[in-house]
Amino acid sequence: MEPSHSQPSHSQPSHSQPSLSVVVPTFHEAANIPVLAERLSAALDERGIEWELLLVDDDSNDGSEAIARELAKRLPVRMTVRRAARRDLSLSVLEGVRLARFDRLVVMDADLSHPPERITDLLRTLDDGCDLALGSRYATGGTVDRDWSPWRFLTSRLATALAQPLTRCSDPMSGFFAIDRRRLPDLRQLRPIGYKIALELMVRGRLRVKEVPIGFSDRAAGTSKMNGRQWINTARHLHRLYRHRFGGWARAIWFAAVGASGFLVDVVFYLGLQWAGVNHQLARALSFWPAASWNWALHRRITFRERPRRPRTRQWAEFLAASLVGLGVNLGTYLALTGWIDFFDRHRLLALICGVALSGGVNFLNSARVVYRQQAAP
Ligand SMILES: Nc1nc2c(ncn2[C@@H]2O[C@H](COP(=O)(O)OP(=O)(O)OP(=O)(O)O)[C@@H](O)[C@H]2O)c(=O)[nH]1
Ligand SMILES: [Mg+2]
């Protein structure tokens, strides 16, 4: 179905039972669309909610259009296909926001990770007085699928940690939310890249957010579209939002956030190696390398993205050397403060924090001036 079928009507009557457009970005979701539509119908019809399912498809060419047409004969389903545009989840959602019949919107994934049965709770929360009701895996009472691998858990937690300075919510990377279109900022001001459209709205729109705990299950059918490239896009998007929120301080704050995520990588390798039978001293010595490499890669691709590209291996080695200098400053500060100043000997945690802060500053300066310098080496 073409967008021309999908003109929004902004002149809906005011509704005692809220009318609702459910906007769902899709790419290769033919197997999930019918189940999603049925579950929406079961969850919303019996509550007397007038609804539509608006699928915004990035030209999947997998039979989704025919399926949507067939469903439309008995359910309020329509699909708009973005044929000419660059494939992008967030831009698809924004197109759905523009084309939706109703002002009250729920955005969710097609793969049934987001339970349609919780939509009414999102709407109630929206009515309670917020701009965006967010389905949250990490709020108290929320859950993720039991089958999540440690890797999936770690990457999700890392991404969440990186987004934390931007919002006050526990699951800023969630893609399941309810909004009222009339309370959104001008959509032309938005500059999302990739998957995290809720985060974009929350940060640039300065929306008041309330969270609703949800049980998040793994996709029912089909394959994930979240690949390495999308992870880089997510990191670029985060950095962009840091710049928006923190202005001139953004690079330093982002640098610190990447450092904190590197600390998590360090801990995971440290524990994982011991779990695999390596003794703790060796585990400590080895876990430094993947953590520092993680930081180097993120700084190369994101933090100092606009700086001249230098040969990878050399730059990586320089970054590791700079990190070792930072480690020396960290330890040296701690030993000097606790050894020479009584106050710090009594408050050793403060000495540790001073060491971390000073070494962070040294690392940042070394990175900005040397490792990722403005001028490439001749
Ligand atoms: N229109 C559009 N939809 C997309 C695109 N990429 C993903 N989607 C849809 O966005 C939703 C989320 O994508 P997923 O592949 O489930 O990504 P994810 O939820 O982060 O990862 P998994 O649940 O592990 O598969 C699904 O409904 C996808 O079909 C895209 O480029 N364009
Ligand atoms: Mg999914």
Side-chain angles (χ1 to χ4, degrees), residues 155-345:
T155 49
S156 173
R157 279 307 202 173
L158 273 178
T160 301
L162 284 171
Q164 219 82 64
L166 296 164
T167 66
R168 296 232 173 113
C169 60
S170 62
D171 193 3
M173 305 310 241
S174 169
F176 185 30
F177 56 97
I179 42 174
D180 186 317
R181 182 166 56 187
R182 292 164 295 193
R183 287 191 235 150
L184 290 183
D186 180 354
L187 299 186
R188 285 168 304 186
Q189 291 170 4
L190 302 177
R191 293 179 61 225
I193 330 172
Y195 275 43
K196 305 303 168 190
I197 182 63
L199 184 66
E200 174 80 10
L201 289 171
M202 288 189 274
V203 176
R204 284 195 206 267
R206 294 196 165 266
L207 303 184
R208 285 168 306 144
V209 178
K210 280 192 185 163
E211 292 184 80
V212 175
I214 59 157
F216 180 96
S217 23
D218 271 346
R219 64 166 40 252
T223 51
S224 175
K225 285 93 210 172
M226 193 71 187
N227 52 27
R229 184 147 169 254
Q230 291 302 342
W231 278 111
I232 294 290
N233 281 343
T234 300
R236 283 181 54 212
H237 185 201
L238 279 170
H239 188 230
R240 207 177 253 192
L241 291 175
Y242 270 62
R243 287 209 306 270
H244 171 78
R245 173 57 61 86
F246 302 115
W249 288 96
R251 204 195 305 262
I253 294 171
W254 173 259
F255 191 90
V258 168
S261 74
F263 173 69
L264 277 185
V265 174
D266 206 341
V267 170
V268 165
F269 273 87
Y270 170 70
L271 296 176
L273 286 166
Q274 288 181 75
W275 178 78
V278 176
N279 79 47
H280 76 98
Q281 287 103 336
L282 186 59
R284 177 62 282 230
L286 292 177
S287 65
F288 166 80
W289 303 92
S293 303
W294 162 273
N295 289 359
W296 165 76
L298 277 183
H299 293 321
R300 180 179 167 95
R301 295 293 296 267
I302 319 277
T303 322
F304 297 101
R305 182 183 172 81
E306 81 289 357
R307 298 276 173 97
R309 281 298 163 102
R310 301 180 48 226
R312 274 170 201 277
T313 315
R314 175 140 185 220
Q315 191 186 49
W316 175 74
E318 281 181 17
F319 186 81
L320 291 188
S323 301
L324 286 172
V325 171
L327 189 64
V329 171
N330 191 341
L331 283 178
T333 307
Y334 177 82
L335 293 176
L337 288 177
T338 52
W340 295 339
I341 303 175
D342 271 356
F343 172 81
F344 283 109
D345 198 28

Side-chain angles (χ1 to χ4, degrees), residues 25-27 29 56-58 87-89 92 109-111 113 152 195 219 224-226:
T26 55
F27 187 67
E29 299 288 2
V56 188
D57 190 79
D58 258 334
R87 179 162 98 72
D88 187 275
L89 187 153
S92 300
D109 291 354
D111 57 6
S113 287
R152 174 127 199 227
Y195 275 43
R219 64 166 40 252
S224 175
K225 285 93 210 172
M226 193 71 187

